[in-house]
Each structure stands twice: as structure tokens, then as C-alpha cells.
Amino acid sequence: MMCSLKILSIHKSKILRIGPYQLRVRRGKTSYFSTLSADDPSKQNCVSTTKVKLKPPWNIVFFGTDDFAVESLDALCKGRERGLIGKIDVVTAPVKKNSPVLQYCQKENIPVIHWPTEVPKGIYDVGTVVSFGHLLTPAIIDAFPMGILNVHGSLLPRWRGAAPIIRAVMNNDEVTGVTVMEIQPHRFDAGRILRAAKIQIPWDTKSGTLTKQLATLGAKELMYVMESLPEALEKAVKQSTEGVTKDNDVSNSLGRSLHQIQ
């Protein structure tokens, strides 16, 4: 049995891949989906009542913690003023001090949900993750009909992992950038790429300066995606299997040297 989903807006006759779904759209009709790409293969033939929008405003859950994340959160919040973003809820992880994301939310009077949490189905369209540091469960990913997007501080597949900007500086990379990609269950930084933008790294660049530049660039690229989200998902491409580098958690010995590059 195919998974049947109601479509709220039809503008073309085509097949779209939207987040975890493959959608068959027929001109002039409220049409339906073919499959669910749930992490559990047994779910691929289930019946679903999930409604999928093809135009904004998008209802969002934002997952983030640090300064790098604040830039994207601020851009999304400003997107409400022009009708691009509807409802936005924020999930942040507990830290010893109030995180930059928590401080931003307190300043802007945005309710905050503390991690760990669950996400109910039928409320949100898409999730966004920026510098969150926690692997999201398949159940959370499945709660978003259009999937979850991640703003990553490197040109994937180079520097997958937790500290890509520091790694780029320490390895004397001449070029880096940001990638907007889909979240995949059980894997960090391996999903399809929706957008990427690169910048040069001057020889004397410090990681703190580069972080601010990439945070601004990442927020800009994320909003480009939000402006044409269904098309961006349809045109997303798989990551190359060549040039993969992984940044494991920064070790104590590396941490002691960070003052030299910040």
C-alpha cells in the first residue's frame, strides 16, 4: 500500500523529493505521495495523514546552542516579518553558563525547550540544526514532513564533525565555506547538499574571526533555501565520496593549543 499524503499546494506536474518523502504531483489535482523513506524499512508501506506544504510560511523547530547558531536563528526570526517563517520554537542544550542561543531567546522573548525533548508530529514543516552537538533520533527527524536542515561550517564532505572551522585553520586550508544539508538518521554531516558557499582563508585568519564570517554566510545560505524550500530539496545532491575528512572531537592536547589560533 502506498503512503497517501494530502498536498496543500500544487503548481506543476512532476515528482518532487521533499525531505523524507517522494511526492507525485499531478496538475490540477490534490495528489498523493508514493513512499516514506523512514529509517525503519517496515514503515515504507504505512498510511500517513501528514500534510505537506509547498510554499511558506514554514513552521520550524530550531536546534542550536552557540554563537554560530545565533546568526541563523536571528535570520529565521526576521523571516517572520516578511511571511517566510511562521511558528518557530527553539531547542537548546544545557551548558554550564547560559548559551548564546538561550540569551538571544530571553532577549527576544522566544520560548525555549531544553534538550532532551520530543517533537510532536503534525505541527511543524521543517527543522533546522545549527551547531547543536547532539545526534537527533529518527523519531524526531520523522516529525518533520520536509526533513531537518543543518548549517555546517565547512564545504562538505571536508571536515565532517564537531569543529570544522578550527580544523580548517589548523590545517592551513586556503578555502572553506558553509554547507546547508539534510540530516540523516544515525550519521553526522553525511546528508544531501542543498546549498554551499565558499570563502578564501587569508594566511593570518584566526578561528574566531572565521567563525563569525561563516556564521553570517551560513545564515544567508539558509534563508536562500527557505525562500524556495521544495525546489531546493528536489535539487539536493548527494555528497561526494571523495575528499572526505572527519573532525573527531577536539582532544585535550588540541584544546591546549587553541589559544594560538583564536
Side-chain angles (χ1 to χ4, degrees), residues 67-68 71 165 178 199 205-219:
D67 286 310
F68 187 85
E71 289 291 329
I165 300 172
V178 293
I199 61 173
T205 294
K206 308 297 183 182
S207 65
T209 300
L210 186 58
T211 296
K212 293 179 182 179
Q213 293 174 336
L214 292 178
T216 301
L217 181 60

Side-chain angles (χ1 to χ4, degrees), residues 69-119:
V70 169
E71 289 291 329
S72 290
L73 176 57
D74 183 58
L76 289 169
C77 289
K78 290 177 179 177
R80 292 183 297 187
E81 300 173 1
R82 51 195 179 100
L84 184 59
I85 306 300
K87 177 183 178 64
I88 180 168
D89 288 329
V90 176
V91 176
T92 190
V95 293
K96 291 183 179 180
K97 297 181 180 180
N98 285 350
S99 71
V101 164
L102 181 59
Q103 293 176 36
Y104 176 89
C105 291
Q106 291 171 341
K107 178 182 177 181
E108 300 295 328
N109 295 316
I110 300 173
V112 173
I113 303 168
H114 291 281
W115 181 263
T117 188
E118 298 179 355
V119 177

Side-chain angles (χ1 to χ4, degrees), residues 12-73:
K12 292 181 180 180
S13 177
K14 62 185 349 180
I15 293 178
L16 302 177
R17 187 189 188 283
I18 297 182
Y21 305 104
Q22 183 175 351
L23 167 63
R24 185 177 302 277
V25 179
R26 295 187 297 180
R27 185 185 301 274
K29 296 183 178 181
T30 299
S31 195
Y32 43 91
F33 266 66
S34 56
T35 61
L36 268 171
S37 65
D39 184 57
D40 182 355
S42 66
K43 297 180 181 179
Q44 290 188 355
N45 291 324
C46 68
V47 175
S48 174
T49 58
T50 302
K51 294 182 178 180
V52 180
K53 294 191 298 188
L54 295 183
K55 61 181 180 180
W58 312 117
N59 294 326
I60 292 175
V61 176
F62 180 88
F63 300 83
T65 302
D66 63 13
D67 286 310
F68 187 85
V70 169
E71 289 291 329
S72 290
L73 176 57

